[in-house]
Structures are given as C-alpha cells and as structure tokens.
C-alpha cells in the first residue's frame, strides 16, 4: 500500500509540473504553486475571491452579480457543487435553470475572472442535508464521510461525473477555462475524530481520489491539517491571519477559503452584522502574514429557494455580505473592501517577491514590510493591535497616526493609501417601497385542507419523520384514536385533560376531533420540543391528529445518516384513570398535504380544488392565492408577510422558500419579514402568488415591494487618508494620480440615477450613521448649500473635506477635528434644491 501511494504521489506531482508549462499561446493556462502563491501561467498571483452560489440566485442574475464582484476588485468566484439538487433521485440528474453549473462557470470566464469549485460532495453550506441527496441515507450499510465502501463508491462516482462534465466543456484552466482550484471534502477535521482510524484513512483516500481525476489544477482541503500529498490545506474563519497554523508542507501557499463576511441566520436570530472595518482588518492582516488568496464567504449569499435551506436556516442567506440578498451593493462593505483590494494590489510585486520582516514600533504597534532585493519595491503594513487606544509611531523616519485596532497600508513603505478603520467609501441604507403597479390591496381566495381524523394503522408507534417524508415534503400527518369512557373525564371544570407530545423536531400542529388545539416548535440549537395543551375530549371515540413538519435536514456533524425527527412520545394527562400513554397506541400516516399533491400552487393545479373569498382569518393548514402585476421599474422585488405565521410561498408555481413570522428574535421582531421574488419569475401581469399557511391567519396585510439602496451617505474626517484611487502603479512605479490629494466625501448613485436631494449635511462633529444622522455641537451653517453645489443633479460627486470650503461666516469651533457627514437621495426624478 505504501509503495502504491508513493507512486501515485510522484505521478500527481509530475502532472502538476506538466500543467504548469502548458503554453499560454494555446489558450491554456497552467496552474501550480510554490510556498508563496498559486502560479498561473508562470506568474505568481494575488487572488481576491468571493463566494456566489449558483442555485441561490437565478441565471438572469448571474452576469450582474459577477460584474459587481469584479468591479469590487475580485478576480475569482468560488462556488460549491450541490449534489442533492443535481441528483435528487439516484441516477436522475438535473443541470437545468438555476442548477446549470456549466453555464455559471462559463459566465465567470466570460467576465474575465477565475473560478474555484468546491466539489465536496459534502458541503455543509447551511444547505439541506449538507448537499448529500436523501437517497444516499437508504444505501445499505452506508456511513457518510468515512472509510466506508458504499459511501466512497457513490462519492467517487459523483465527483468523477462532475469533473468529466467540466472537462468536456474545457472549463479547467489547464484546458483554457476559468477553473484554477478545486476542493474535495469540507472542514473534515471537525468530525474526523468521531470516525477514529476510518477518518484518517478516509481523508487520505479522498485526497488521492481527487488527485487521480487529473484536472491539471491543484486541489485543496479546508481546515484539514493532514491533507495528503500536494493537496493544499486551507483556513476558514474570521481571522485566519492570527489563527491559521500554516500549510502542512513548506512548499504550499497560505490560502483562505472562507472569510466569513457575517453570520448566517436561523429563524429566531436577531440581525447579524460584521463591520466593514473588521473584515478589512482581517484581510490586511492575512496578506501581511504571507497570505496570497482570500475568499469572502459569502460575497453574495442570495436566497434559499424552495426547501433548500438546512435545519432552521432562514430563506435569506448572508444578507450582510458585500452584495445583499437582492444583489445590491451593501455599503460601506462593498466599497471599503474594493479600496482594500486596490491598496493591496499596489503592493503586489513586493508582496509576491519580497522578503518579509517585522519591526516592533511600540508595545502594541508592529510594522510588517516586504522588500524585493535589487529593486525599489517595498510595501509595509503598520498594525495597531490595541483595540481601545490610538497610537502615533515613527517608521523609517516618518510619523504615522494609527487609530485603535487598525492597519495602515503603505505600498512604497512611505505613503499611507488605506487604513482599515478609516472608511472613505460611501455608505447606504436599504429601502423597501410598496409597489404602486402591483396593485393596492390584494384580493385573496383560500382553500383549506381537510384535517384527517383517521388513517389505516400502519405502525404501533409514530414513524420517524425524515424516513417518512424522504425529503419530498416538509409535512406528514399522524393519526390515532382514543376511546374515552365518561368515568375517565373529571366532573370538575377546573381539571381538564392535557395533550402532551414530545418531539425530536422540528415543528408540529395538533388537532383533536378535527379542531386545532395547539402548536410548538424546536430551535436550531435544540431541535426537540414538547407540545403541551389543554384539550376537550368527549365520551366515546376521539381522534388525535398531528401535522409534523420539518424545517430542513441537518447539514453538519458526524453520522448524519443517523439523525431522527418527529413525535417520540404522546400522552394524555388529567384523566381520572391517570396518565394515558398513546405512544404505542397504533398510528396511521400520510406523507404530504393534499394541496401539494394537487400542485394547487400552479395555475392548472389550482383548478383541482374549490377556492372561496377570504373574509376573515382562515383555519389552520390553509392555502391562499392572489394575483398581482409586476412592479414598476427594474428594481428587485420582495413580498412582506405581515400578518402571517409559518409556511411557504410560490410565485407562478416556483417556491421562493419558507417564511416564519411568528418565530421572533430576542428583539421581539421576526427574523425575516421580506422574501425575495426574482424578477425572472414574474410576468408583466396576473402573477399568481400562492401561500401555504400552517396556522390560522389572514393574508390581508401582505405587501408587494420594490427594493433599492438609493439612500447614500458619506462620513469622512480631516484625518482620513485620501481615496486609494488617487494612486497607481505605472511602469512599475508607485505614483500619485493627482497632486495634493486630500480627504473627500465620494458619492455615486446606483444604476445611473442622479442625486435629487440632500437629506442631511453637516461639517463639524455630526453624530449617528447613514439613515440616522444628527447635528452635533459644532456645525457649519453652509454645509447643505456646499453639498448641493457639488452634487445636486449629478450621478456622482466629490466634496473635499476642506475648512475653507465650509467656513461660511465664521468657524465657531476651530480647535476641534472636523467631520463631514452627508446623506443624499438618488432617483430618476428631477432634483430639488433646498430653500436657503
């Protein structure tokens, strides 16, 4: 075995070396690596990558998302490959529409960018079942992600299929395509110990199986210290510049495959944020520590359409990324990172070819600098690691001011072109606007499911919910009966029977004799729960009906094939005869809802049932439908689900995901209220919206919205560095684009709109943030007038942070440092100048 592994390793290394010398003239690009970076077509490269997942958006959105990523300074797009959407049934494949992997990779290449594919095929990704198809659970003797023959057989079969498909389309860089890296497995170190020796051997098998695919580009394993042979182990996390212990071989580069731009959210979570400043600090630190590739996870999170989200994960995914769920630029994160990429690229030659050195400038401040021998190429990173106090230090004879916990970048070891804390780029705020064209109050009709009372008994106990539904639906009915003697019921009115259901998850609605009696649910942390509610029983036969529901399959952890859900214990308390255990009472089952089977969410399916006008809140488990016109303009579209509780939404027969309004965060608000409707799902008129609601609700408050980020702002001080756009590399020399560059507020409207109004302007010591500014104790009375003169009626403008410009009649506070805060409105309408 050892001899064969040695031969395979040598063969693989030779393959990589051959790929590195393929001629560029033949439109083929070799990819290999050394200790410093990936080497693409013979050149070391700095790579700025962003994760965009093709099934979390639509093909119509792909080009614009990729172009915005490129304009943001990225040169690589990273995506997972999602096994369970491509092979939902064993041997039946789907690569159509949003699942068209080849088209997505080609779109990346057409926009002049590289691609990284993470084949997994286990991917986690907060994706249903971690990307593994459900049918895999039913393969005899299978143990996921282990040195297990059935799992390895199916894993290798799928990986080979995907690789061959990409090879046939010539999408690897070694064939002239955009793919420069591939990943096998995903964060396996986190579960490896659970499999003991079978985990160790599995990692080696997985790496060598991938290498045997002969793609001509390197393979990586993230968070895998024992990545075999030439497979590169990479870092995932928020601060890999400080936490990564380094590659497991001195000839491998430092690659960062996941820099988390926020935190994914589950239902019940409050809003999640990660500041642009913290993200920028982590990236600057990484490149100062010999990093050569960073990937933002996510750069665009998008939408978990249909039933694709993992357990309790919201439909909206990584909305706080540089591109939000709707593909709009979230500022200042998008712009601040764009400026960072430009600043680091100005250091490129020194970083890739220079020798790093570290100089301690004070107890909290260090300088990391790179100098290329026999050249003038020098770049420095000055880091203040104190999180509370600023520092003023000397480096190479010059004095530098460093805000708390910040890094300044000096592409010539002299000039500060960027500081991670000082945000020069603009800010913006997102607006949801009720659509005029979609119609006023929507007219709704409803169809209620018949609550079943008794199915033929097919099991002594309630069946397990994952195995029962087999990932074909969220829902399954459970029925049983109880014969109550009059003497079992207490004559006292203050003592009533109680129905108690212990469930392993995820949610449940309970009925007695066809009437709703209560609901309960678990959480992402604790999926099991107890539903306990008073019930009215009658003498004779009583029907107990449970609607068990799932909110996605698990996406992480060891032995995923052994996870369970659904009711495990059912009992009646408070009877004169004591507690009655119904767990083994004999149960009947039905998978799915009648409306699902009839496809009432489609135009044709809706004709199969009778709909009535909604005049009040409908009963539990009711379908609602309405029609609306496509909203005005080209802005993204959303639906706000006010007044609803929990269920799913379809637009013209396509599911846009699960909604859950009653699962509020600790702040008392729904985790997600607005749900994305892709423009490509809409027709000009008569769009069918169907909502499945699990509990009693009235859809009258549902609204169709358009989404924009037309409120843009700037917040710049006198001590901010000028924009990094004021410098460039020309003929290998670092030069200013303009002389005497000064700090300025830079504003630019999206989509060629113009600045039509100045909503706030203050030069002095303003307070607050974009959308919530306030004048401080020092304020120039001509602030708004100056901003209007520079910006009104323009698509973009620059306002210098210059005391002379804002002097007005008198500067009442000359001794304080000045800040300029501006908020303007963008629109296609005509501008309005304020009265002075």
């Amino acid at each position: 075995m050892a001899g064969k592994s040695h031969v395979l390793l040598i063969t693989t290394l030779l393959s990589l070396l051959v790929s590195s010398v393929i001629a560029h003239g033949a439109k083929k690009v070799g990819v290999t690596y050394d200790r410093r970076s990936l080497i693409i077509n013979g050149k070391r490269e700095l790579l700025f990558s962003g994760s965009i997942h093709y099934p979390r958006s639509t093909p119509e959105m792909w080009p614009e998302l990729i172009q915005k990523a490129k304009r943001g300074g990225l040169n690589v797009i990273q995506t997972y490959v999602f096994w369970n959407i491509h092979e939902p049934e064993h041997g039946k494949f789907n690569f159509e529409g949003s699942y068209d992997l080849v088209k997505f990779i080609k779109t990346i290449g057409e926009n002049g960018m590289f691609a990284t594919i993470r084949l997994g095929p286990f991917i986690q990704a907060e994706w249903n079942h971690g990307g593994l198809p459900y049918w895999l659970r039913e393969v005899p003797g299978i143990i996921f992600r282990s040195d297990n023959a059935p799992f390895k057989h199916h894993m290798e079969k799928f990986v080979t299929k995907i690789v061959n498909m990409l090879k046939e389309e010539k999408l690897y860089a070694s064939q002239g395509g955009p793919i420069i890296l591939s990943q096998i497995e995903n964060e396996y170190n986190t579960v490896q110990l659970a499999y003991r020796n079978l985990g160790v051997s599995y990692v080696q098998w997985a790496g060598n199986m991938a290498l045997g695919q002969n793609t001509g580009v390197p393979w990586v394993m993230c968070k895998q210290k024992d990545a075999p042979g030439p497979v590169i182990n990479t870092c995932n996390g928020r601060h890999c510049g400080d936490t990564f212990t380094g590659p497991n071989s001195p000839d491998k580069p430092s690659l960062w495959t996941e820099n988390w731009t926020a935190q994914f959210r589950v239902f019940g979570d409050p809003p999640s944020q990660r500041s642009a400043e913290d993200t920028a600090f982590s990236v600057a630190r990484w490149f100062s520590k010999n990093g050569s590739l960073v990937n933002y996870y996510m750069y665009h999170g998008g939408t978990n359409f249909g039933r694709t989200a993992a357990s309790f994960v919201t439909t909206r995914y990584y909305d706080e990324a540089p591109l939000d769920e709707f593909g709009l630029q979230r500022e200042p994160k998008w712009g601040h990172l764009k400026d960072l990429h430009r600043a680091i690229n100005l250091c490129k030659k020194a970083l890739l070819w220079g020798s790093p050195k570290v100089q301690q400038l004070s107890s909290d401040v260090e300088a990391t600098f790179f100098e290329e021998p026999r050249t003038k190429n020098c770049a420095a990173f000055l880091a203040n690691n104190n999180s509370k106090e600023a520092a003023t230090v000397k480096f190479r004879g010059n004095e530098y001011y460093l805000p708390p916990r910040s890094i300044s970048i000096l592409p010539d070891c002299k000039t500060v072109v960027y500081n991670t804390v000082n945000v020069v780029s603009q800010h913006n705020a997102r607006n949801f606007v009720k659509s005029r064209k979609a119609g006023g109050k929507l007219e709704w009709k409803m169809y209620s499911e018949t609550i079943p009372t008794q199915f033929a008994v097919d099991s002594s106990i309630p069946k397990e919910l994952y195995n029962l539904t087999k990932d074909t639906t969220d829902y399954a009915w459970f029925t049983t009966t109880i014969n109550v003697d009059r003497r079992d019921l207490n004559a006292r009115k203050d003592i009533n029977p109680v129905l108690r259901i212990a469930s392993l998850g995820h949610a449940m609605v309970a009925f007695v004799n066809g009437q709703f009696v209560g609901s309960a649910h678990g959480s992402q942390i604790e999926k099991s729960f107890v539903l306990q509610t008073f019930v009215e029983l009658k003498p004779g036969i009583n029907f107990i009906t449970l609607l068990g529901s799932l909110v996605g399959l698990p996406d992480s952890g060891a032995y995923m094939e052994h996870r369970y859900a659904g009711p495990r214990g059912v009992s009646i308390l408070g009877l004169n005869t004591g507690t009655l255990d119904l767990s083994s009472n004999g149960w009947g089952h039905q998978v799915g809802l009648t409306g699902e089977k009839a496809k009432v969410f489609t135009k044709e399916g809706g004709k199969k049932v009778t709909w009535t006008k909604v005049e009040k809140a409908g009963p539990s488990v009711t379908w609602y439908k309405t029609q609306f016109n496509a909203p005005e303009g080209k802005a993204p579209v959303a639906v706000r689900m006010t007044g609803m509780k929990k269920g799913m939404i379809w637009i013209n027969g396509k599911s846009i995901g699960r909604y859950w309004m009653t699962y509020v965060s600790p702040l008392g608000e729904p985790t997600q209220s607005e749900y994305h409707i892709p423009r490509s799902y809409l027709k000009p008129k008569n769009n069918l919206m169907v909502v499945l609601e699990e509990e009693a609700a009235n859809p009258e408050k549902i609204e169709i919205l358009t989404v924009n980020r037309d409120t843009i702002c700037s917040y710049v001080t006198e001590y901010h560095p000028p924009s990094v756009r004021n410098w460039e590399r020309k003929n290998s020399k670092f030069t200013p684009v303009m002389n005497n560059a000064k700090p300025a507020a830079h504003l630019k409207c999206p989509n060629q709109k113009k600045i039509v109004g100045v909503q706030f302007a203050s030069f002095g010591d303003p307070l607050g943030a974009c959308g919530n500014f306030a004048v401080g104790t020092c304020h120039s009375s001509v602030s708004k007038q100056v901003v209007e003169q520079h910006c009104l009626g323009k698509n973009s403008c620059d306002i210098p942070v210059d005391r002379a410009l804002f002097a007005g009649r008198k500067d009442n506070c000359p001794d304080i440092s000045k800040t300029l805060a501006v908020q303007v409105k963008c629109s296609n309408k005509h501008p309005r100048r304020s009265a002075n």
Side-chain angles (χ1 to χ4, degrees):
M1 289 295 290
K4 290 182 180 178
S5 298
H6 185 64
V7 171
L8 177 58
L9 178 61
I10 294 173
T11 303
T12 305
L13 286 170
L14 286 173
S15 174
L16 286 170
L17 288 171
V18 169
S19 72
S20 71
V21 297
I22 294 176
H24 182 61
K27 296 183 179 180
K28 295 179 181 179
V29 179
V31 183
T32 183
Y33 59 80
D34 62 12
R35 60 176 181 79
R36 188 64 193 91
S37 73
L38 293 184
I39 299 173
I40 303 174
N41 198 33
K43 293 171 59 179
R44 289 178 177 170
E45 293 287 353
L46 295 180
L47 298 168
F48 303 95
S49 174
S51 290
I52 299 176
H53 296 159
Y54 53 100
R56 282 176 160 144
S57 55
T58 65
E60 292 78 9
M61 295 173 66
W62 296 342
E64 186 175 1
L65 292 172
I66 292 166
Q67 288 158 17
K68 285 180 177 178
K70 187 174 183 178
R71 290 198 297 271
L74 302 191
N75 50 12
V76 185
I77 299 295
Q78 180 205 85
T79 185
Y80 281 119
V81 178
F82 300 76
W83 187 0
N84 56 2
I85 63 170
H86 292 310
E87 193 179 7
E89 297 180 54
H90 188 200
K92 296 182 180 179
F93 292 92
N94 182 4
F95 293 95
E96 302 296 321
S98 293
Y99 302 165
D100 193 340
L101 171 63
V102 166
K103 182 176 181 178
F104 182 70
I105 300 297
K106 285 184 175 180
T107 305
I108 295 170
E110 288 163 1
N111 283 277
M113 299 182 75
F114 298 124
T116 300
I117 58 165
R118 304 174 76 180
L119 272 162
F122 169 80
I123 59 173
Q124 189 166 341
E126 294 71 59
W127 187 262
N128 197 38
H129 216 211
L132 301 178
Y134 184 83
W135 58 261
L136 205 62
R137 288 173 65 112
E138 300 186 326
V139 173
I142 198 163
I143 300 175
F144 293 172
R145 307 177 71 198
S146 172
D147 193 353
N148 168 268
F151 182 74
K152 292 193 299 182
H153 166 76
H154 289 288
M155 174 176 169
E156 182 171 13
K157 188 176 179 181
F158 178 74
V159 168
T160 302
K161 179 178 179 63
I162 296 297
V163 169
N164 287 342
M165 184 174 69
L166 298 174
K167 281 182 179 179
E168 288 171 9
E169 298 290 339
K170 301 189 184 305
L171 292 177
Y172 285 98
S174 55
Q175 302 171 293
I179 300 172
I180 57 170
L181 275 180
S182 300
Q183 178 180 301
I184 196 71
E185 249 298 334
N186 192 63
E187 297 187 348
Y188 190 69
N189 262 158
T190 61
V191 298
Q192 185 170 327
L193 287 176
Y195 299 100
R196 301 187 180 182
N197 291 337
L198 294 180
V200 175
S201 55
Y202 168 70
V203 166
Q204 299 302 309
W205 170 84
N208 287 314
M209 180 271 288
L211 292 168
Q213 299 289 329
N214 297 316
T215 62
V217 302
W219 287 84
V220 302
M221 281 184 167
C222 60
K223 296 180 77 169
Q224 194 63 44
K225 295 180 181 179
D226 56 346
V231 177
I232 306 167
N233 60 301
T234 68
C235 187
N236 289 358
R238 285 196 175 200
H239 294 284
C240 281
D242 295 314
T243 61
F244 187 47
T245 56
N248 63 9
S249 173
D251 63 342
K252 296 179 182 179
S254 293
L255 309 181
W256 190 355
T257 37
E258 288 188 19
N259 182 0
W260 304 324
T261 55
Q263 175 67 38
F264 73 90
R265 295 171 70 185
V266 299
F267 287 111
D269 275 351
S272 166
Q273 298 291 335
R274 186 187 183 192
S275 70
E277 295 91 331
D278 183 64
T279 310
F281 181 92
S282 72
V283 175
R285 173 84 85 190
W286 175 252
F287 281 92
S288 75
K289 296 286 187 72
N290 286 327
S292 59
L293 178 151
V294 64
N295 176 73
Y296 299 104
Y297 190 97
M298 299 289 295
Y299 197 77
H300 166 71
T303 306
N304 291 313
F305 297 111
R307 300 173 48 259
T308 58
S311 297
F312 290 89
V313 173
T314 55
T315 299
R316 175 178 292 162
Y317 189 61
Y318 270 88
D319 183 45
E320 295 80 9
L323 299 178
D324 70 11
E325 180 188 14
F326 306 97
L328 302 175
Q329 292 168 197
R330 176 178 288 276
E331 300 283 17
K333 191 170 285 185
W334 184 87
H336 194 46
L337 295 178
K338 175 183 179 178
D339 290 346
L340 172 64
H341 305 147
R342 183 176 176 87
I344 293 174
N345 272 322
L346 289 171
C347 307
K348 184 174 181 178
K349 286 199 171 183
L351 287 177
L352 291 176
W353 298 102
S355 300
K357 296 179 182 178
V358 179
Q359 180 181 345
Q360 200 71 32
L361 303 180
S362 72
S363 59
D364 295 315
V365 180
E366 64 182 12
T368 304
F369 54 99
F370 297 76
E371 290 185 286
E372 186 182 358
R374 297 179 297 279
T375 73
K376 295 182 179 180
N377 291 329
C378 180
F381 297 80
L382 307 184
N384 180 6
N385 297 313
N386 190 308
S387 61
K388 296 181 179 179
E389 296 182 4
T392 300
V393 296
K394 280 194 173 183
F395 175 66
R396 296 198 169 192
N398 294 317
E399 193 169 79
Y400 298 93
Y401 171 81
L402 298 173
R405 198 174 180 274
S406 72
I407 297 176
S408 288
I409 299 176
L410 292 64
D412 60 351
C413 286
K414 293 184 294 184
T415 309
V416 175
V417 301
Y418 183 91
N419 179 274
T420 57
V421 160
N422 292 332
V423 177
V424 177
S425 61
Q426 70 183 22
H427 304 234
N428 64 25
R430 185 164 64 192
N431 307 298
F432 291 95
V433 182
K434 187 173 181 179
S435 169
R436 292 174 284 101
K437 195 174 178 181
K441 189 174 181 181
L442 299 173
E443 295 183 2
W444 291 92
K445 292 184 178 181
M446 69 182 197
Y447 153 69
S448 297
E449 293 268 335
T450 299
I451 306 304
T453 54
Q454 188 173 17
F455 296 121
V457 173
D458 55 9
S459 174
S460 61
I461 62 174
K463 290 185 177 180
E464 193 276 317
L465 199 49
Y466 289 142
N467 184 61
L468 184 61
T469 59
K470 300 187 187 302
D471 200 25
T472 59
T473 175
D474 281 356
Y475 304 101
W477 294 102
F478 301 76
T479 65
T480 193
T481 60
I482 174 175
N483 193 344
V484 178
D485 190 277
R486 185 178 300 277
R487 290 171 296 181
D488 293 331
L489 300 174
N490 201 297
R492 290 176 53 180
K493 293 184 178 180
D494 61 333
I495 300 178
N496 297 295
V498 169
L499 173 66
R500 178 187 288 167
I501 306 156
S503 177
L504 297 176
H506 295 163
M508 184 169 293
V509 184
F511 304 84
V512 172
N513 297 324
Q515 299 300 309
F516 171 84
V517 294
S519 64
H521 61 82
S523 70
Q524 203 262 351
I525 299 298
E526 185 56 61
K527 296 171 182 62
S528 61
F529 62 91
V530 175
L531 191 165
Q532 189 163 273
T533 181
F534 152 75
V535 295
E536 290 186 4
L537 299 179
K538 61 185 181 181
I541 300 296
N542 290 264
F543 301 97
I544 296 175
T545 304
L546 311 178
L547 179 61
S549 68
L550 297 170
V551 192
L553 272 66
D555 72 324
S556 61
Y559 300 105
M560 281 174 51
E561 69 281 357
H562 292 146
R563 306 292 177 80
Y564 303 105
R568 307 310 297 163
V570 183
S571 56
I572 301 287
L573 292 73
L575 298 174
N576 285 338
T577 48
T579 298
L580 183 62
D581 188 351
L582 302 179
S583 303
S584 301
N585 194 51
W587 290 82
H589 303 84
Q590 178 176 288
V591 176
L593 305 176
T594 301
E596 285 182 293
K597 295 170 184 176
K599 296 186 177 180
V600 299
F601 46 82
T602 65
K603 184 177 179 181
E604 290 303 314
K607 297 176 181 178
K608 299 176 183 178
V609 300
T610 301
W611 300 82
T612 59
K613 187 176 180 180
V614 175
E615 296 179 347
K616 60 180 181 178
S620 300
V621 199
T622 293
W623 300 80
Y624 299 92
K625 75 172 183 177
T626 190
Q627 289 188 328
F628 66 95
N629 295 330
E632 58 279 4
K634 297 181 179 179
V637 181
V639 55
R640 180 176 285 147
M641 298 301 290
T642 306
M644 305 306 284
K645 295 181 178 177
K646 178 178 180 291
M648 191 172 287
I649 312 163
W650 287 262
I651 304 294
N652 292 325
K654 296 182 178 181
S655 172
I656 61 169
R658 302 181 181 100
Y659 70 89
W660 201 343
M661 298 292 286
T662 51
Y663 197 165
V664 297
S665 78
L667 303 180
E669 297 291 332
T671 300
Q672 181 178 346
S673 295
E674 296 85 20
Y675 293 80
H676 180 208
I677 302 175
R679 279 273 180 183
S680 59
Y681 286 12
L682 298 177
K683 305 178 294 183
K685 294 183 178 181
N686 300 323
N687 293 284
L688 175 66
M689 175 162 60
V690 176
V691 175
L692 167 63
E693 171 58 59
E694 297 175 23
E695 299 189 40
N698 193 327
E700 64 179 359
K701 294 182 180 179
I702 292 176
E703 295 178 309
I704 304 297
L705 313 165
T706 59
V707 192
N708 68 63
R709 287 187 176 272
D710 291 344
T711 302
I712 60 174
C713 306
S714 182
Y715 187 88
V716 182
T717 74
E718 291 180 297
Y719 292 101
H720 275 57
S723 171
V724 68
R725 288 171 286 175
N726 290 312
W727 285 273
E728 65 181 359
R729 282 276 175 193
K730 198 170 184 179
N731 299 324
S732 297
K733 293 183 179 180
F734 174 73
T735 60
V737 175
M738 60 179 71
N739 294 323
N740 300 319
K742 294 182 178 180
H746 306 282
L747 299 171
K748 184 175 183 179
C749 289
N751 303 320
Q752 301 305 310
K753 294 179 181 179
K754 294 183 178 180
I755 296 171
V756 297
V758 178
Q759 298 173 324
F760 181 89
S762 179
F763 184 78
D765 60 349
L767 309 171
C770 192
N772 193 31
F773 283 128
V775 172
T777 58
C778 176
H779 169 70
S780 168
S781 60
V782 299
S783 298
K784 195 168 187 179
Q785 180 182 342
V786 170
V787 174
E788 287 182 339
Q789 289 172 348
H790 279 76
C791 299
L792 214 55
K794 298 178 181 179
N795 170 252
S796 62
C797 63
D798 297 328
I799 313 151
V801 180
D802 187 338
R803 292 190 180 213
L805 187 63
F806 290 91
R809 297 175 184 174
K810 184 181 179 182
D811 186 348
N812 295 319
C813 39
D815 297 330
I816 73 164
S817 171
K818 298 294 185 11
T819 296
L820 174 61
V822 178
Q823 179 174 314
V824 302
K825 177 69 175 176
C826 298
S827 178
N828 291 320
K829 298 178 181 179
H830 295 295
R832 287 187 177 183
R833 190 178 297 274
S834 63
N836 295 312

